[in-house]
Amino acid sequence: MALPAAEQAAPPAGPAAPGSAGAAPGRRRRRQVQPYLLLIPAVVLLAAVVGYPLIRLGVISTQGFGLRTLITGRAASVGTANYTAILHDPQLLPVLVRTVVFAATLVAGTVVIGFGAALMMVAAGRKLRVAMMLALLGAWAMPTVASTLVWQWLFQPTYGVVNWLLTQLRVFGDVRQHDFLAGTTSGFVVVWLLVVWISVPFVALTLYAGLSQIPADYYEAAAIDGAGYLRRLRTVTVPFLRPVLMLVTVLSVIWDFNVFNQIWILTKGGPDGATTTIAIWSFTQAFASQSYGQGAAIAVFSVVLLAVLVGWWVRRLVVTGEEA
């Protein structure tokens, strides 16, 4: 039987060419897998540096780990007794409230001042901008302990520069002998100023990098429409910077929630526990009271609490961004 003309003219099917569409799924799969392969070294490093200490911390929090354990190397399991003890501790609620309020004020001050410094660098000339960047990098590069000791000297009674300057300005009268770190409010203010001073450079430089990527056309179009500086800031700058603002805010929450060196060196949690945050409480419970199990339980509790707070904040920002 004769075949139709179309079938007679059709050439026999052969193997697909190497660059044909048949090989495309394989290439797509390789491209999808490659990023994960490149992330494996970082994941392994984080698992070794962060993962193991967290697991070990969780194990210690379920043990009666005390001074005797350090000598004998044996610790009895106590289950959730350490967590029950800290949940029933009368210090828990004041410490939590103090930590949250302190972290919130630190984050607000750091982001607002850092945002203002970034806007100043954008508006400044080249020489002034370079000078500002060098000053910010100098404050950021200084080790925490060294900067805290300098701050302690600045507010020292009798010889403190700040005490002398305030006395000369007649702001609060003669405060040369006044110990600002001994007061509940003034001690927190001094620690707040120090932490913000250390944290602002990262926020300012990061936001400046984000501001430098905003196209000038948008500002020109807004100016043509009659928008003033504040309106351009609200309708152009902030929407473009929202991802960067979310990043620096989340990182600031994590860092400020766990502030330890500055508080411990300046006030050691005093006076009368007025500057004791959850990080200070965990340290004193573990090393001052020799109750390492309860100290570890407080640390685990703070990690879980911080993860919940950061997760809620990120979800809120993402939902707000999608609605916008």
Side-chain angles (χ1 to χ4, degrees), residues 275-287:
T275 57
T276 298
T277 60
I278 197 166
I280 300 295
W281 187 33
S282 174
F283 180 83
T284 55
Q285 195 70 18
F287 294 97

Side-chain angles (χ1 to χ4, degrees), residues 117-240:
L119 293 174
M120 289 176 61
M121 284 191 287
V122 171
R126 183 175 179 274
K127 292 183 179 179
L128 182 57
R129 185 185 306 121
V130 172
M132 290 182 64
M133 286 184 176
L134 291 176
L136 290 171
L137 288 173
W140 192 19
M142 184 177 292
T144 304
V145 175
S147 59
T148 306
L149 291 175
V150 170
W151 214 258
Q152 190 178 42
W153 172 75
L154 289 174
F155 288 90
Q156 186 181 29
T158 306
Y159 303 106
V161 175
V162 175
N163 298 48
W164 173 83
L165 181 60
L166 291 176
T167 301
Q168 296 300 314
L169 294 175
R170 308 289 183 183
V171 178
F172 302 108
D174 189 353
V175 294
R176 285 175 295 180
Q177 302 297 327
H178 183 71
D179 188 0
F180 287 97
L181 298 175
T184 302
T185 304
S186 59
F188 249 119
V189 170
V190 172
V191 176
W192 184 90
L193 290 172
L194 171 59
V195 177
V196 169
W197 177 68
I198 294 174
S199 306
V200 159
F202 170 79
V203 175
L205 294 173
T206 304
L207 292 178
Y208 170 74
L211 287 170
S212 63
Q213 301 303 312
I214 300 177
D217 299 343
Y218 290 91
Y219 290 108
E220 294 174 1
I224 292 173
D225 289 340
Y229 178 78
L230 292 178
R231 187 175 177 186
R232 292 198 301 270
L233 189 68
R234 187 179 69 253
T235 58
V236 178
T237 305
V238 173
F240 268 98

